[in-house]
Structures are given as C-alpha cells and as structure tokens.
Amino acid sequence: DAKTTQPNSMESNEEEPVHLPCNHSTISGTDYIHWYRQLPSQGPEYVIHGLTSNVNNRMASLAIAEDRKSSTLILHRATLRDAAVYYCILRDPGANNLFFGTGTRLTVIP
Amino acid sequence: DAGVTQSPTHLIKTRGQQVTLRCSPKSGHDTVSWYQQALGQGPQFIFQYYEEEERQRGNFPDRFSGHQFPNYSSELNVNALLLGDSALYLCASSWGRAGSGWETQYFGPGTRLLVL
C-alpha cells in the first residue's frame, strides 16, 4: 500500500477554515485519494475522495496538487463537531481494503 | 435506513477464550470488511467477505476467522485470545463490485474487546 504522511495534530479556531495536508509522493497513476474521519467513540466515516481534479461536497473540499504528490482537505468553517482524527488514504483500484495510517488529530478551539 | 450495526458493543474475555463478533451491513450492501483498531492507532484491515467467501486478508493469524451469511451479515471469530487482541473491532460494508478504487466503506460503531 502506498504511504501517506500527515501531521500528527492540528488546531483550529471555531468558524475558521482548516487546511489538513497530506503528502503521498509515491502515489501511482491509478490511486484514488480518500479522506475519512473518526469522531470520538465512533467508527470512521467517509469524507471525500478524488483522483486528479479538485472535488467539493457538502462536508469538505479536496485540493489535489497538479503532480498528485500531495493533497489538502479543506473544512471551510470548522465547528466543534469537526474535532476528529482525519485519515488520508490512497486507494489502489485493485485493493479491496483501506490502509489507514495514524492520521491527523484536529482540535477545534471554541 | 439503518446503517452498519455491530454487536455486542463491549465484551470482556480472558486469555485463551474464544469470541464471536457480529455485523449487519448497511441496506443494499453485500460486502463486509473487518478492521482491528488498537488504542491510539488507525484501523488495520483483517479481512473482507463477499458472496460468502473471504476475498482478501490482511496480516492476521489464522486465529482470526470469519463467516458471511446469505443475508450478507457477518461474524468475526477470534480463538485463543491474547492480551494483545484487546482493541476496537470495526465492521465496514460496501457494495461488492471489486476493485473500482472509488467505492466508499461505511463503518459501524465497533465492538470494544478487552482481554484480561
């Protein structure tokens, strides 16, 4: 499984935008970039995914670098409910599993 | 529409015992994956079941086994429990078409197993 590198932790003020970075320099041309998050005492939940182009959904935006060696998950206005561990995952189309790293723990300050 | 459900929520066992954890997938899903999450770590893939067969397996010993039923629900069995098996066990469901790379997995709340 291709590796991703994320900061261990980040802090954000409530109502401010948050940019969560992920480096994946060994990404292959067919790997999808997925983001999941895990709220306290819950299972992970899907946030967003993309292949080459930037993506937006109701939860977040995903900005993918032109060379695809890095990506950024953007939460436009952080709320206290966004406090979670965020996982950046590369998904090989031939693989059926998700390979989680240790993720970034996001703390939202009121 | 019920999401992924798991039972029990918590379980305490002693070393050497056997345990069975259960999972019902989200409505319309036919694939079930199991993950183990140790404290402070990300989830680790154990195996995946599709069409009642194990389709892929992670790096876990044979003490970990599973089963999928015709209604797509699944069980995870762990034999000869070790202290190190204490963890949160997560079940995830998805729609079974293999290898698209983009399909999402929906996770249940997990079963927390403590081995004493």
Side-chain angles (χ1 to χ4, degrees), chain A residues 32 34 36 38 41-46 49 87 91-102 105, chain B residues 33 35 37 40-43 45 48 55-56 88 90 98-109:
Chain A
Y32 280 79
H34 285 244
Y36 281 72
Q38 188 169 19
S41 301
Q42 295 189 26
E45 66 174 347
Y46 166 80
H49 76 273
Y87 296 97
R91 189 78 187 274
D92 178 346
N96 297 307
N97 60 303
L98 296 173
F99 182 79
F100 290 84
T102 52
R105 181 173 298 277
Chain B
S33 304
Y35 292 80
Q37 186 173 25
Q41 303 295 317
F45 175 73
Q48 185 181 82
R55 178 158 71 179
Q56 185 173 349
L88 180 67
L90 294 160
S100 70
W102 51 259
E103 80 274 12
T104 61
Q105 293 193 359
Y106 292 80
F107 286 81

Side-chain angles (χ1 to χ4, degrees), chain B residues 58-115:
Chain B
N59 188 26
F60 279 81
D62 292 344
R63 298 187 297 109
F64 290 77
S65 64
H67 188 77
Q68 187 179 34
F69 299 94
N71 67 352
Y72 308 122
S73 67
S74 176
E75 288 182 349
L76 164 65
N77 300 294
V78 187
N79 294 323
L81 284 166
L82 304 174
L83 296 180
D85 295 331
S86 295
L88 180 67
Y89 288 86
L90 294 160
C91 168
S93 75
S94 57
W95 184 57
R97 188 173 54 183
S100 70
W102 51 259
E103 80 274 12
T104 61
Q105 293 193 359
Y106 292 80
F107 286 81
T111 293
R112 188 161 296 282
L113 172 65
L114 177 61
V115 182

Side-chain angles (χ1 to χ4, degrees), chain A:
Chain A
D1 297 290
K3 296 291 188 184
T4 62
T5 304
Q6 300 178 253
N8 289 332
S9 62
M10 291 185 64
E11 286 186 352
S12 173
N13 293 319
E14 195 177 10
E15 303 295 317
E16 294 290 321
V18 183
H19 291 232
L20 298 165
C22 180
N23 287 319
H24 29 78
S25 59
T26 60
I27 190 170
S28 75
T30 55
D31 284 343
Y32 280 79
I33 302 162
H34 285 244
W35 284 81
Y36 281 72
R37 72 179 185 181
Q38 188 169 19
L39 303 173
S41 301
Q42 295 189 26
E45 66 174 347
Y46 166 80
V47 177
I48 200 166
H49 76 273
L51 183 61
T52 56
S53 304
N54 295 344
V55 184
N56 300 296
N57 67 19
R58 65 173 181 83
M59 289 181 69
S61 296
L62 176 60
I64 301 172
E66 196 168 333
D67 64 5
R68 301 210 327 126
K69 293 184 184 300
S70 65
S71 60
T72 302
L73 179 70
I74 303 166
L75 306 179
H76 296 286
R77 291 177 64 214
T79 70
L80 297 178
R81 293 187 69 249
D82 291 322
V85 178
Y86 286 78
Y87 296 97
C88 171
I89 299 166
L90 299 185
R91 189 78 187 274
D92 178 346
N96 297 307
N97 60 303
L98 296 173
F99 182 79
F100 290 84
T102 52
T104 296
R105 181 173 298 277
L106 175 66
T107 300
V108 180
I109 302 168

